């Protein structure tokens, strides 16, 4: 067997240049007990927590590979629920930064998350139209609610009642009774998608935002008790609140799925509040107290409204009443008694102010302090976080921008990257600025304003950089001062490409004006100083018939390769500019190319998704490789080798071997098109830039990469993806209704089921061996040593039945039901016998009862028709009832004890409270007496 070529693996080292992704939402979080200071924002697959005051990153919650789509902090402020693009949800601890719980239930991106008041339940809505309620404490799914026909946009728990409100892009708002898991009301009064919802006025009002400039307000009337059918009619009429009169079309709302006995509330339209924005609502939300309502559209304006409390409404009504009575008095005495005053909706929900951000707003969060200061954080489309403060107690509230986090990244997509010759500095250029980063610390060292940058290079010596722009200019910057030294009009169109000459005395540029221009570095005398400064002068021009897209020198500087818009690559002699070769074969223009270190190979990447490898001696095509699923945007050889990297619009970076024409590895991480990449001169680092606003650093490790293993890993990943896309297993005898199981079949649930099956197989084998051993002992008439199983010995010489229980305990709580669902029935009888044994001993009663009830539910027909299991079920019935009642008694006792302690503490606090009040009263009395004495003295 011949020796296989050994490659080294490139691994992700860091993500930088990103402040916050515009995909998810921003949220205030509490760190170290500091309120309203830290902000969590999505950053591709991670979550960054920023200190808004200092502008520093204080915590990174690391994800795996899918983009973050939704964030929600828990009510206690200790956890953060994060929803991902693949439908998974992870709950992170903000103290440790670790993911403590993971839920898998949705098939598409999570679009909405909400905790209940105590933080014990979490509800999630998704693009797959399902709503799932999760038990955070038990780490498992409770149920799936099906009813929406399009993506769910918002989910809200009611604080007082066990109800849930959901809205979707299907124009519907649904009310769910969580006791019965049933949709008892559907609001169909909207003509377009419902993008946001908020409950205000102590949950007596619902405000919805749609695709127009109207915020619709709905009055909610709760019906106190469900009517008892045995109650007399007279009592019924007294007990239930009357249906509000619908005097006009405005108040009319159609209600579906509603039966008289199921009716829990009534919902009628109260009116509308007009927004200033004409486009759709993107985010609509209230603060935690429900006093402030804010919303924004697809523009840069956040509209803030104030909602009056019941006390404030009463005061306003009294004032109005007084005014009306005064008016009536002037007219006649009779009118005075007939005065009837109502507050309009615009008076109850008042516009406070509009906050204008510096760019389009993608999401916001707000927090109201007890002093009346409103803090608002805005996540903008252009990679900025803004924090605004609004003093509501002022006569005319004005928003003040408290801070702005911008230094960490560019405002627009990075279109060019370059490495310095010492592998330390990285240049990134975008539409508005050029930034220099330190590769080891990932800190931004310099930010210099520029025009739209398309290509760049470090001048030999790494003290200056040259940037080619979209307007055809060459801009020369000095890194020490961070200033623009010179601007030259180089081309009439965009400067698409720039390449340093191998002798480092000059460079070449190619532009959209069909010219290739040769430039030399020179030192010129500056008028302002005695010292000479670096400049550049044009020495030659090569005129061509088509726009130039890319230019590259051969390492010996004899040849120059030029890629043209006519899909060909022309090779010229550098000294005479005579034509040498034409490389044709691509169906679309060649966007990038590079020549190997020894000058023997040229690799070209095109918009036709192919990479072609050519010999530079005769221009023969060695191989054409289908490289990416979209245009190949960038290509570069690794120094001193025939390996090269390509970047594509399919979000991937790939490494190839130009000798063996093999795909070595794929670097996956970016979530949008990869525009460009740069390799360090020593080949140890790769930096890439993408449309997701992030810059990523990849590092060459010492780990060898074996191609067969890499292909095997790819096949496994494809299989795992196909498992997730498969149809979910169906429970026999169950029809598809409004509710379903919360979990979904994943590779983890299949592995968990396999582990349970293996444990039961081991249990069967061990029991058979034990039987044999007893027979041998009986035949021999003495005790023969029993051969111990190595697995059981590793667990501390436990019994086979205890081993099965151990395996059960290791199955994640959120995956238990799905694992049991794929378990074949042949293993169930053994499981039931083991359950009986363990429940009888009082081991893991809660877990085993949950598994037992689920197995009985899904295999009911087979279990009841099996005569062998009758005695097992009878025994289980007795043991489970006795053990569960014992567990309930323990819980009841503990609850009573805790309530007693709570009452004791409250009683102590009340005593303290009264003592404080008495002290304050005495203090006031003393001050009053002192004042009186002073007045008397003056008199």
């Amino acid at each position: 067997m011949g020796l296989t070529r050994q490659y080294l693996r490139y691994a992700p080292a860091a993500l930088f240049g990103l402040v916050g992704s515009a995909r998810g939402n921003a949220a205030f979080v509490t760190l170290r007990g500091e309120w309203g200071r830290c902000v969590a924002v999505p950053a591709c697959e991670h979550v960054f927590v920023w200190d808004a005051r200092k502008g520093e990153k204080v915590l990174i919650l690391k994800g795996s590979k899918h983009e973050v789509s939704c964030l929600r902090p828990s009510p206690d402020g200790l956890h953060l629920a994060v929803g991902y693009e693949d439908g998974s949800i992870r709950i992170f601890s903000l103290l440790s930064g670790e993911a403590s719980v993971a839920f898998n239930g949705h098939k598409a991106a999570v679009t909405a998350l909400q905790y209940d008041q105590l933080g014990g339940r979490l509800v999630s809505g998704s693009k797959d139209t399902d709503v799932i309620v999760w038990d955070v404490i038990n780490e498992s799914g409770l149920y799936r609610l099906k009813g929406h026909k399009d993506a769910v946009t918002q989910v809200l728990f009611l604080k007082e009642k066990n109800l849930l409100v959901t809205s979707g892009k299907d124009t519907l708002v649904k009310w769910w009774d969580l006791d019965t898991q049933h949709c008892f009301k559907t609001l169909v009064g909207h003509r377009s998608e419902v993008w946001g919802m908020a409950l205000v006025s102590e949950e007596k009002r619902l405000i919805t935002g749609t695709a127009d400039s109207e915020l619709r307000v709905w009055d909610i009337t709760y019906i106190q008790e469900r009517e008892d059918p045995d109650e007399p009619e007279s009592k019924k009429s007294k007990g239930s609140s009357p249906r509000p009169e619908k005097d006009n079309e405005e108040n009319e709302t159609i209600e579906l799925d509603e039966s008289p006995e199921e009716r829990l509330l009534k919902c009628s339209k109260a009116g509308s509040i007009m927004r200033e924005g004409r486009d759709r609502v993107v985010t609509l939300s209230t603060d935690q107290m429900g006093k402030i309502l804010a919303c924004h559209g697809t523009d840069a304006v956040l509209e803030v409204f104030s909602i009056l409390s019941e006390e404030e409404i009463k005061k306003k009504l009294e004032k109005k009443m007084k005014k009306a009575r005064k008016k009536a008095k002037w007219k006649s005495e009779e009118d005075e008694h007939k005065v009837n005053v109502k507050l309009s909706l615009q008076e109850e929900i008042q516009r406070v102010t509009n906050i204008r951000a510096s760019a389009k707003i993608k999401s916001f969060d707000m927090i109201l302090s007890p002093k009346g200061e409103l803090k608002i954080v805005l996540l903008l489309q252009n990679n900025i976080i803004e924090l605004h403060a609004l003093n509501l107690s002022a006569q005319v509230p004005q928003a003040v921008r408290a801070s702005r986090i911008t230094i960490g990244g560019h405002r627009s997509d990075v279109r060019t990257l370059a490495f310095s010759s010492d592998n330390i500095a990285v240049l990134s250029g975008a539409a508005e600025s050029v930034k220099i980063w330190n590769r080891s610390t990932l800190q931004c060292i310099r930010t210099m304003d520029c025009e739209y940058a398309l290509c760049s290079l470090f001048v030999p010596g790494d003290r200056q950089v040259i940037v080619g722009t979209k307007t055809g200019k060459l801009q020369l910057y000095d890194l020490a001062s961070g200033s623009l030294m010179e601007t030259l009009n180089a081309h009439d169109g965009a400067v698409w490409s720039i390449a340093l000459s191998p002798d480092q005395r000059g460079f070449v540029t190619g532009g959209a004006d069909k010219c290739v221009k040769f430039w030399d570095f020179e030192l010129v005398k500056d008028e302002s100083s005695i010292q000479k400064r670096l400049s550049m002068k044009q020495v030659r021009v090569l005129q061509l018939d088509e726009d130039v897209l890319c230019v590259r020198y051969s390492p010996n500087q004899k040849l120059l390769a030029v890629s043209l818009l006519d899909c060909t690559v022309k090779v010229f002699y550098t000294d005479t500019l005579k034509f040498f070769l034409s490389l044709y074969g691509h169906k679309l223009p060649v966007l990038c190319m590079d020549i190997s270190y020894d000058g023997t190979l040229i690799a070209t990447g095109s918009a036709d998704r192919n990479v072609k490898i050519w010999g530079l001696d005769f221009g023969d095509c060695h191989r054409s490789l289908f490289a990416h699923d979209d245009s190949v945007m960038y290509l570069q050889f690794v120094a001193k080798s025939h390996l090269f990297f390509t970047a594509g619009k399919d979000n991937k970076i790939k490494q190839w071997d130009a000798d063996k024409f093999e795909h070595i590895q794929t670097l996956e991480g970016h979530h949008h098109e990869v525009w460009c990449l740069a390799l360090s001169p020593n080949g140890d680092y790769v930096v890439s830039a993408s449309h997701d606003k992030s810059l990523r650093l990849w590092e060459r490790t010492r780990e060898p990469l074996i191609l067969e293993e890499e292909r095997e890993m790819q096949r496994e990943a494809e299989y795992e993806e196909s498992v997730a896309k498969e149809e979910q297993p169906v429970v026999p005898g169950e029809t598809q209704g409004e509710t379903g199981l919360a979990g979904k079949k994943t590779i983890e649930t299949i592995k968990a089921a396999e582990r349970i099956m293996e444990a039961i197989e081991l249990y069967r084998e061990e029991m058979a061996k034990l039987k044999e051993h007893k027979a041998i002992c009986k035949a021999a008439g003495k005790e023969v040593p029993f051969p111990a199983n190595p697995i059981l010995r590793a667990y501390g010489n436990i019994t086979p039945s205890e081993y099965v229980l151990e395996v059960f305990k290791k199955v994640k709580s959120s995956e238990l039901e799905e694992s049991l669902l794929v378990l074949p029935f042949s293993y169930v009888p053994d499981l039931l016998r083991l359950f009986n044994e363990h429940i009888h001993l009082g081991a893991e009663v809660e877990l085993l009862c949950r598994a037992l009830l689920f197995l009985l539910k899904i295999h009911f027909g087979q279990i009841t028709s099996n005569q062998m299991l009758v005695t097992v079920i009878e025994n289980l019935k007795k043991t489970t009832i006795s053990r569960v009642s014992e567990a309930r008694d323990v819980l009841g006792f503990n609850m009573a004890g805790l309530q007693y302690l709570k009452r004791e503490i409250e009683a102590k606090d009340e005593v303290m409270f009264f003592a404080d009040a008495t002290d304050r009263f005495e203090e006031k009395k003393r001050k009053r007496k002192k004042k009186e004495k002073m007045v008397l003295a003056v008199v």
Side-chain angles (χ1 to χ4, degrees):
M1 184 184 160
L3 193 72
T4 56
R5 173 88 183 266
Q6 197 182 49
Y7 305 103
L8 293 175
R9 187 183 294 281
Y10 280 81
L15 178 144
F16 63 106
L18 185 63
V19 176
S21 298
R23 186 66 217 270
N25 61 304
F28 275 112
V29 291
T30 310
L31 276 188
R32 300 181 294 274
E34 289 200 60
W35 169 94
R37 180 167 175 172
C38 293
V39 180
V41 291
C44 291
E45 68 273 24
H46 307 310
V47 175
F48 289 167
V49 180
W50 292 90
D51 183 328
R53 205 175 297 166
K54 291 182 181 174
E56 291 174 1
K57 213 179 290 173
V58 288
L59 184 64
I60 299 174
L61 307 176
K62 292 196 172 174
S64 49
K65 63 175 183 177
H66 295 283
E67 203 173 359
V68 173
S69 59
C70 192
L71 301 178
R72 182 66 56 192
S74 64
D76 60 6
L78 298 175
H79 296 91
L80 183 72
V82 182
Y84 293 91
E85 194 68 20
D86 65 335
S88 62
I89 299 164
R90 294 167 84 184
I91 297 175
F92 288 88
S93 163
L94 289 170
L95 300 172
S96 64
E98 297 296 317
S100 50
V101 185
F103 295 132
N104 267 310
H106 293 292
K107 295 187 188 75
V110 177
T111 51
L113 284 171
Q114 193 71 44
Y115 276 97
D116 68 355
Q117 197 181 5
L118 296 170
R121 287 179 302 173
L122 177 73
V123 63
S124 61
S126 164
K127 274 187 181 173
D128 64 6
T129 76
D130 289 349
V131 174
I132 302 179
V133 181
W134 306 92
D135 184 340
V136 176
I137 295 152
N138 196 25
E139 300 181 12
S140 64
L142 294 173
Y143 37 82
R144 183 188 297 264
L145 303 171
K146 302 172 186 175
H148 283 286
K149 300 284 183 288
D150 206 338
V152 178
T153 54
Q154 181 66 290
V155 285
L156 297 170
F157 273 112
L158 267 73
K159 288 176 186 169
E160 301 300 322
K161 294 184 165 44
N162 195 21
L163 303 178
L164 180 72
V165 200
T166 61
S167 66
K169 282 168 78 174
D170 55 2
T171 77
L172 303 177
V173 173
K174 286 181 172 285
W175 292 79
W176 305 83
D177 182 358
L178 297 182
D179 293 328
T180 58
Q181 293 127 51
H182 167 62
C183 174
F184 65 89
K185 183 184 288 297
T186 303
L187 288 184
V188 290
H190 302 97
R191 295 283 170 269
S192 57
E193 301 99 326
V194 182
W195 289 101
M197 286 190 307
L199 283 162
V200 296
S201 305
E202 293 172 7
E203 298 184 343
K204 287 177 186 167
R205 276 214 171 124
L206 178 74
I207 298 175
T208 55
T210 59
D212 53 23
S213 55
E214 226 178 294
L215 292 181
R216 289 166 179 78
V217 183
W218 307 83
D219 276 335
I220 304 164
T221 314
Y222 296 100
I223 294 163
Q224 295 305 314
E225 298 294 328
R226 292 187 183 177
E227 289 104 341
D228 189 1
D230 302 329
E231 248 186 317
E233 281 298 317
S234 58
K235 275 195 177 180
K236 271 192 190 181
S237 58
K238 280 180 189 175
S240 62
S241 59
R243 194 177 179 83
E245 288 292 319
K246 291 181 181 175
D247 51 349
N248 59 0
E249 204 179 336
E250 183 76 2
N251 273 9
E252 206 162 305
T253 167
I254 307 161
E255 293 160 5
L256 303 179
D257 305 343
E258 187 183 29
S259 54
E261 68 274 14
E262 278 288 311
R263 199 180 292 151
L264 301 174
L265 53 85
K266 290 169 184 169
C267 207
S268 55
K269 193 171 177 190
S272 294
I273 305 159
M274 297 308 289
R275 295 191 301 122
E276 285 184 6
R278 290 275 164 268
D279 44 11
R280 76 170 179 91
V281 170
V282 175
T283 320
L284 171 73
S285 128
T286 62
D287 69 304
Q288 286 175 322
M289 311 296 289
K291 288 181 179 177
I292 302 293
L293 172 81
C295 66
H296 70 89
T298 53
D299 53 7
V301 178
L302 180 78
E303 299 179 44
V304 184
F305 299 88
S306 168
I307 298 156
L308 296 187
S309 64
E310 282 195 3
E311 286 176 17
E312 289 168 325
I313 288 171
K314 273 182 191 174
K315 281 180 186 174
K316 272 219 161 187
L317 273 172
E318 280 171 14
K319 274 187 183 178
K320 259 200 160 185
M321 202 75 164
K322 277 180 186 175
K323 279 185 182 177
R325 277 188 181 151
K326 270 186 184 177
K327 272 188 183 178
K329 225 177 188 180
W330 290 110
K331 288 179 182 176
S332 67
E333 288 292 324
E334 286 176 23
D335 291 353
E336 194 181 344
H337 301 292
K338 291 179 186 175
V339 169
N340 193 13
V341 176
K342 276 185 183 178
L343 278 185
S344 68
L345 195 64
Q346 277 68 26
E347 285 174 309
E348 287 183 41
I349 301 170
Q350 298 172 339
R351 183 182 293 276
V352 178
T353 187
N354 285 357
I355 297 171
R356 184 168 287 279
S358 58
K360 280 185 182 177
I361 302 170
K362 278 294 171 185
S363 75
F364 75 94
D365 193 19
M366 56 185 173
I367 208 163
L368 184 64
S369 74
K371 292 174 184 173
E373 188 193 29
L374 184 72
K375 284 188 177 178
I376 299 170
V377 64
L378 303 175
L379 175 60
L380 307 183
Q381 192 188 28
N382 64 347
N383 205 18
I384 291 180
I385 298 168
E386 284 186 357
L387 190 72
H388 292 260
L390 186 65
N391 189 6
L392 296 170
S393 54
Q395 205 71 37
V396 182
Q398 285 292 325
V400 180
R401 192 167 78 197
S403 63
R404 200 163 178 246
I405 302 169
T406 59
I407 192 73
H410 286 277
R411 306 287 71 79
S412 55
D413 291 4
V414 172
R415 300 308 294 254
T416 174
L417 288 167
F419 251 107
S420 62
S421 59
D422 57 4
N423 310 296
I424 289 173
V426 178
L427 175 149
S428 63
E432 81 301 322
S433 65
V434 170
K435 285 180 184 281
I436 308 294
W437 307 84
N438 182 318
R439 193 214 72 237
S440 53
T441 62
L442 303 176
Q443 294 298 312
C444 179
I445 309 163
R446 285 274 179 278
T447 301
M448 299 164 288
D449 291 340
C450 73
E451 291 184 29
Y452 201 121
L454 289 176
C455 53
S456 59
L457 58 81
F458 275 89
V459 174
D462 298 334
R463 290 183 180 182
Q464 294 90 9
V465 291
I466 296 171
V467 175
T469 70
K470 202 174 182 177
T471 52
K473 290 174 182 165
L474 285 176
Q475 295 186 309
L476 176 68
Y477 291 90
D478 178 48
L479 293 186
S481 61
S483 60
L484 175 66
M485 290 165 68
E486 191 177 354
T487 301
L488 288 177
N489 289 318
H491 291 267
D492 290 337
V495 181
W496 287 118
S497 184
I498 189 167
L500 188 68
S501 62
D503 64 3
Q504 300 196 338
R505 290 182 177 178
F507 59 95
V508 63
T509 58
D513 59 353
K514 304 176 185 177
C515 287
V516 173
K517 295 191 178 183
F518 296 82
W519 306 79
D520 276 356
F521 295 119
E522 62 171 356
L523 290 167
V524 295
K525 200 165 185 187
D526 204 354
E527 296 122 26
S528 56
S529 69
I530 308 152
Q531 286 181 330
K532 287 186 175 180
R533 67 165 177 84
L534 186 82
S535 181
M536 44 207 170
K537 69 169 181 185
Q538 185 184 320
V539 286
R540 283 190 297 173
V541 180
L542 172 63
Q543 188 68 43
L544 294 156
D545 300 331
E546 293 285 342
D547 288 16
V548 177
L549 298 178
C550 190
V551 288
R552 285 290 177 270
Y553 272 115
S554 65
N556 57 11
Q557 211 172 325
K558 279 188 178 176
L559 302 173
L560 176 75
V562 181
S563 150
L564 301 173
L565 200 61
D566 63 1
C567 313
T568 63
V569 174
K570 301 258 193 300
V571 184
F572 298 90
Y573 289 105
T574 310
D575 47 3
T576 60
L577 297 185
K578 278 187 178 173
F579 174 74
F580 171 47
L581 290 170
S582 179
L583 312 176
Y584 56 88
H586 282 291
K587 294 180 182 70
L588 288 169
V590 173
L591 302 176
C592 52
M593 60 182 176
D594 200 16
I595 298 173
S596 63
Y597 76 102
D598 53 6
T600 56
L601 298 175
I602 178 169
T604 58
S606 163
D608 64 8
R609 306 180 287 179
N610 291 311
V611 166
K612 289 184 190 287
I613 298 161
W614 317 75
L616 257 185
D617 303 332
F618 309 105
D620 53 325
C621 181
H622 291 186
R623 185 67 64 93
S624 182
L625 304 164
F626 181 72
H628 290 270
D629 296 329
D630 208 333
S631 303
V632 182
M633 297 305 294
Y634 208 85
L635 186 152
Q636 193 175 345
F637 273 98
V638 179
K640 307 272 190 298
S641 77
H642 281 183
L643 307 179
F644 65 91
F645 279 93
T646 59
K649 270 190 177 180
D650 60 353
N651 315 350
K652 293 184 177 74
I653 297 161
K654 294 184 180 181
Q655 190 187 12
W656 307 84
D657 186 339
D659 291 332
K660 295 195 171 182
F661 317 119
E662 280 191 301
H663 170 216
I664 300 164
Q665 69 167 347
T666 303
L667 305 179
E668 289 189 33
H670 285 293
H671 301 286
H672 292 284
E673 302 95 317
V674 183
W675 295 127
C676 54
L677 57 84
L679 271 129
S680 62
N682 61 8
D684 282 347
Y685 299 97
V686 180
V687 174
S688 57
S690 163
H691 181 50
D692 61 16
K693 300 274 196 303
S694 70
L695 296 171
R696 284 173 192 265
L697 179 69
W698 315 82
E699 191 176 359
R700 184 159 61 187
T701 61
R702 301 295 102 195
E703 180 195 343
L705 185 145
I706 293 128
L707 291 181
E708 285 74 25
E709 282 182 12
E710 200 68 15
R711 305 286 172 270
E712 186 62 37
M713 281 160 67
Q714 272 181 334
R715 282 194 290 272
E716 277 178 22
E718 281 167 18
Y719 168 67
E720 284 181 24
E721 275 180 31
S722 67
V723 164
K725 286 173 188 169
E726 278 176 24
E727 280 297 309
Q728 296 301 306
V730 179
V731 179
E734 280 208 357
T735 53
Q736 287 293 320
E738 277 187 324
T739 56
L741 288 176
K744 72 170 180 184
K745 184 179 172 186
T746 60
I747 199 75
E748 280 81 20
T749 61
I750 292 169
K751 283 177 182 172
E754 283 171 358
R755 285 197 296 273
I756 294 169
M757 284 152 67
E758 283 166 13
I760 295 166
E761 293 280 1
L762 185 136
Y763 167 75
R764 285 173 181 170
E765 285 169 20
E766 288 301 306
M767 295 320 281
K769 279 183 192 171
L770 199 63
K771 220 175 188 180
E772 273 178 44
H773 179 255
K774 279 179 183 173
I776 291 164
C777 289
K778 205 175 185 182
K782 60 175 182 177
E783 193 66 37
V784 178
F786 180 67
N789 188 303
I791 295 172
L792 299 179
R793 193 184 287 170
Y795 275 83
N797 278 335
I798 56 172
T799 62
S801 62
E802 282 172 345
Y803 173 67
V804 176
L805 182 64
E806 283 297 317
V807 170
F808 243 91
K809 280 156 70 176
K810 282 183 180 171
V811 176
K812 279 185 185 172
S813 183
S814 57
E815 293 166 3
L816 183 64
E817 276 87 359
E818 288 297 322
S819 303
L820 292 173
L821 198 55
V822 293
L823 195 72
F825 180 73
S826 56
Y827 294 94
V828 173
D830 289 315
L831 267 181
L832 293 177
R833 289 187 188 97
L834 287 166
F835 284 178
N836 188 23
E837 187 185 318
H838 289 300
I839 292 170
H840 186 71
L841 295 167
E844 298 292 331
V845 175
E846 201 177 324
L847 172 71
L848 296 181
C849 282
R850 183 179 152 201
L852 169 67
L853 293 171
F854 185 73
L855 285 173
L856 289 173
K857 180 184 170 187
I858 60 173
H859 297 299
F860 182 76
Q862 284 165 295
I863 290 170
T864 49
S865 60
N866 192 330
Q867 292 295 316
M868 306 286 285
L869 293 173
V870 172
T871 52
V872 179
I873 295 295
E874 282 296 322
N875 292 337
L876 272 168
K877 188 179 167 186
K878 287 172 194 169
T879 49
T880 48
I881 289 169
S882 64
R883 287 293 177 189
V884 168
S885 57
E886 275 176 31
R888 197 193 293 143
D889 292 344
V890 170
L891 279 172
F893 179 81
N894 290 345
M895 285 291 287
L898 287 168
Q899 279 166 355
Y900 169 74
L901 287 169
K902 185 185 169 189
R903 284 196 297 274
E904 288 286 300
I905 291 161
E906 278 174 357
K908 272 185 186 176
D909 284 354
E910 275 176 22
V911 171
M912 290 298 289
F913 175 75
F914 283 122
D916 290 348
T918 314
D919 289 347
R920 280 202 296 272
F921 180 71
E922 291 293 331
E923 184 67 31
K924 274 185 181 177
K925 212 172 177 182
R926 274 201 301 276
K927 279 182 181 175
R928 203 184 303 129
K929 278 187 176 177
K930 206 175 182 182
K931 206 173 184 183
E932 281 172 7
K933 276 181 185 176
M934 282 173 77
V935 170
L936 282 167
V938 169
V939 168

